[in-house]
């Protein structure tokens, strides 16, 4: 691997643009970035409507109708998790070496809890692919990264 004359900022900008492309995109000449859809069947365990059966609480239903905060915040909090589309469908980025159809393995890269998108992680993921020959999967934690409500 040679020394790149591109700055970190240039790499970041190239990755930012590549992440907006719908299909697979070659970045840095050696890494392919693609976005894949994820559909979760886990919404069946989310509280639905206004009550949730809680077997560990002697089978009593939890009442979700209680007012916790005033105004719009309470409406947001009281929204059923099962009705939030981003809880059942979202996309995740996968970076892999472009030289072969199969990678030497997979690195799953999670994120901090205050993040809103994957952009700052993309240069790290690209470098991991280049150094290890492994694919890097950027997978979101619940209610974060590309799934949080817009600010």
């Amino acid at each position: 691997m040679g020394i790149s004359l591109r700055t970190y900022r240039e790499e970041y900008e190239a990755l930012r643009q590549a992440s907006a492309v719908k299909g697979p995109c070659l970045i840095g000449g050696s890494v392919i970035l693609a976005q894949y859809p994820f559909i979760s069947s886990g919404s069946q365990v989310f509280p639905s409507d206004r009550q949730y059966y809680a077997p560990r609480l002697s089978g009593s239903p939890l009442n979700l109708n209680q007012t916790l905060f005033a105004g719009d915040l309470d409406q947001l909090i009281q929204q059923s998790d099962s009705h939030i589309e981003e809880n059942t469908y979202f996309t995740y980025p996968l970076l892999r070496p472009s030289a072969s159809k199969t990678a030497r393995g997979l690195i799953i890269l999670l994120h901090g809890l205050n993040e809103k998108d994957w952009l700052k992680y993309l240069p790290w993921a690209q470098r991991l692919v280049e150094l290890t020959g492994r694919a890097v999967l950027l997978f979101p934690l619940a209610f974060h990264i590309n799934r949080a409500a817009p600010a």
Side-chain angles (χ1 to χ4, degrees), residues 36-92:
Y36 292 93
F38 183 85
I39 300 171
S40 173
S41 60
S43 64
Q44 62 191 340
V45 300
F46 292 149
S48 62
D49 297 321
R50 306 321 290 159
Q51 288 196 344
Y52 179 63
Y53 179 72
R56 290 188 178 199
L57 296 175
S58 304
S60 63
L62 295 175
N63 185 354
L64 301 178
N65 285 319
Q66 294 175 316
T67 300
L68 302 172
F69 300 94
D72 293 339
L73 182 58
D74 194 65
Q75 289 178 353
L76 179 64
I77 290 173
Q78 294 291 345
Q79 185 177 9
S80 172
D81 290 344
S82 63
H83 296 142
I84 299 172
E85 181 180 343
E86 291 83 1
N87 285 335
T88 55
Y89 175 80
F90 54 91
T91 59
Y92 62 87

Side-chain angles (χ1 to χ4, degrees), residues 1 4 14 24 26 40 44 46 49 56-57 65 67 82 92 102 114 118 120 122 136 141-144 146:
M1 181 181 310
S4 173
L26 182 66
S40 173
Q44 62 191 340
F46 292 149
D49 297 321
R56 290 188 178 199
L57 296 175
N65 285 319
T67 300
S82 63
Y92 62 87
T102 58
N114 290 326
W118 286 114
K120 84 173 188 183
L122 292 175
V136 176
L141 301 171
F143 300 108
H144 294 281
N146 297 339

Side-chain angles (χ1 to χ4, degrees), residues 25-41:
C25 187
L26 182 66
I27 50 176
S30 62
V31 176
I32 294 176
L33 168 64
Q35 305 283 340
Y36 292 93
F38 183 85
I39 300 171
S40 173
S41 60

